[in-house]
Amino acid sequence: TIVEGLDGNIKTVGVFVKETEEEIKELMKFCKLDFAQVYTARSGPDWISAYRVNDCIPDVTSDGLVLFDSYSSGFGGSGISFDINLLKNHAALGRAFVAGGVNVENVDSIMMLKPFGVDCVSSVEKYKGKKDLTKMSYLVNKIRSYEI
């Protein structure tokens, strides 16, 4: 499988929106995933609870890793950013990924907040579903230049 061919330092994440906990665990085992990103508050060592941000940051009710993503009518990949200033001094930043429209224009503002990590997908694509190696390399190198 793809996962088995990865370097051992790379962690794999499955994104789940409406699946039950039982279905998620089954898929994680089958696909050999390290983490599950879920759009409900869950706590545990292999869960990343995603919170959708619109005008304000929702209450974080999970204990583990979290992800702050831009609110959109669908889930993920909208390329829309949220007001990153909403996260200033947020208690969960040290265990939070920031997602939603992360790009070369706003990544400096995001990294100044010292999140646990960033999640960028659509901003490094040539077109939906196809990554652009140049865009991805530039953004990754920019992110790596920060000490977290």
Side-chain angles (χ1 to χ4, degrees):
T1 67
I2 293 173
V3 171
E4 292 170 331
L6 294 174
D7 176 301
N9 294 321
I10 296 173
K11 301 298 179 197
T12 55
V13 180
V15 179
F16 303 94
V17 177
K18 296 181 181 176
E19 292 78 9
T20 66
E21 188 168 330
E22 185 177 296
E23 290 171 323
I24 293 170
K25 286 181 178 180
E26 185 178 320
L27 285 164
M28 286 181 69
K29 184 176 180 181
F30 180 78
C31 296
K32 299 180 170 85
L33 299 174
D34 297 303
F35 296 95
Q37 176 183 316
V38 295
Y39 282 83
T40 56
R42 299 239 171 92
S43 294
D46 51 1
W47 297 103
I48 302 170
S49 296
Y51 293 88
R52 301 174 81 197
V53 179
N54 200 354
D55 302 1
C56 63
I57 303 295
D59 289 335
V60 174
T61 58
S62 61
D63 295 331
L65 294 172
V66 298
L67 179 137
F68 293 113
D69 195 3
S70 297
Y71 181 87
S72 65
S73 58
F75 287 88
S78 70
I80 298 168
S81 302
F82 62 89
D83 180 0
I84 196 64
N85 292 315
L86 294 171
L87 287 177
K88 280 187 180 171
N89 302 313
H90 195 284
L93 262 176
R95 58 188 174 96
F97 292 92
V98 176
V102 176
N103 58 51
V104 294
E105 287 81 29
N106 65 13
V107 74
D108 289 319
S109 299
I110 293 167
M111 296 307 293
M112 296 299 275
L113 297 176
K114 299 185 186 255
F116 180 77
V118 293
D119 179 337
C120 52
V121 178
S122 58
S123 67
V124 293
E125 291 180 332
K126 283 185 182 187
Y127 53 86
K128 187 105 175 132
K130 178 67 174 167
K131 301 297 179 253
D132 181 311
L133 183 58
T134 303
K135 287 181 180 180
M136 195 163 45
S137 294
Y138 184 77
L139 187 57
V140 167
N141 286 333
K142 194 165 188 172
I143 291 167
R144 286 182 174 165
S145 73
Y146 284 87
E147 288 185 32
I148 298 180

